[in-house]
Amino acid sequence: EDFRLLHEFPCTGLVDKPFTKALFEKRSMELFGQAVWFAENAELIDQLSEAVLADTRKATELLRNVLNQAPQPLPIIGLGIRRLRARGELDAAETLARKVLGVDPRNVLALMELGKILTARGKYLDALVVLQSANELSPNNLGRLCLMGEVELNLCEPGRAKEYFQQALEIDPAHLEAKAGSELAS
């Protein structure tokens, strides 16, 4: 439902209906080009992650290069943030997420990642502010609603937590995390 998010994921696009065969082929070739670039430059993501760990100045330079070269740079940087977070490199992941938000303050992917990082660090109030910003831009994300519920539980606000878990259950009544969170909040 939220087409604005398409630019935040690699190799995705939108073709409005009705469309011609020529338009569809053109858009498909553009996406294929992005996929080729992404495959050929996957190493760049790892270099970006390593640069953030080793040298902020080098990371900034590499970030600038990625932004200039990539057909869709922000998804690649988002992948770098996720990799750093998964490796437990929270300082580096936060630095990179904040750099992305410096370029695009409405980047939902970077906001979500920053929210996860802040939650992992126990900075629940900061995490909630960031996650609420992402939620305003792109509401009804099950993972985000559950994370916001989790943050509210950590802030000892079970009533607010239950509201978030209930919103998630309205979208998907079978969502296990939302069910468990709602029960816990009760």
Side-chain angles (χ1 to χ4, degrees):
E1 292 180 8
D2 192 348
F3 296 122
R4 192 189 87 68
L5 295 177
L6 286 176
H7 80 278
E8 296 184 17
F9 296 93
C11 310
T12 58
L14 177 67
V15 179
D16 290 321
K17 291 181 182 178
F19 54 84
T20 64
K21 179 181 176 187
L23 177 62
F24 181 77
E25 287 175 350
K26 179 181 180 227
R27 191 67 183 120
S28 296
M29 291 307 296
E30 289 171 0
L31 293 174
F32 180 73
Q34 289 176 17
V36 168
W37 188 94
F38 188 77
E40 290 173 350
N41 290 279
E43 184 180 315
L44 198 55
I45 298 164
D46 292 326
Q47 289 175 358
L48 185 59
S49 299
E50 295 303 319
V52 170
L53 293 174
D55 181 355
T56 305
R57 190 172 5 154
K58 181 179 177 186
T60 302
E61 180 182 323
L62 190 55
L63 179 62
R64 196 172 294 116
N65 288 340
V66 170
L67 290 171
N68 290 333
Q69 294 176 19
Q72 279 189 290
L74 293 177
I76 293 166
I77 296 167
L79 183 56
I81 296 167
R82 282 193 299 277
R83 284 187 179 177
L84 287 167
R85 185 177 51 79
R87 291 189 345 210
E89 302 290 348
L90 299 181
D91 287 339
E94 183 175 345
T95 297
L96 193 52
R98 290 191 186 280
K99 284 186 184 293
V100 170
L101 291 170
V103 173
D104 180 7
R106 296 173 52 87
N107 185 292
V108 176
L109 185 64
L111 287 167
M112 185 66 178
E113 286 301 317
L114 182 57
K116 289 176 182 178
I117 293 163
L118 293 171
T119 299
R121 297 183 129 180
K123 296 180 177 182
Y124 301 118
L125 285 174
D126 294 339
L128 190 58
V129 169
V130 169
L131 293 169
Q132 286 171 336
S133 294
N135 202 49
E136 287 174 16
L137 295 169
S138 175
N140 301 327
N141 177 287
L142 286 171
R144 185 178 315 109
L145 289 169
C146 288
L147 183 56
M148 291 167 73
E150 177 187 329
V151 168
E152 290 287 12
L153 285 173
N154 280 295
L155 291 170
C156 299
E157 295 288 349
R160 287 191 213 156
K162 186 166 177 111
E163 289 175 21
Y164 287 121
F165 290 122
Q166 286 302 120
Q167 287 177 31
L169 288 171
E170 287 173 16
I171 297 166
D172 181 1
H175 194 270
L176 296 177
E177 186 180 348
K179 281 183 178 181
S182 182
E183 290 175 21
L184 184 61
S186 293

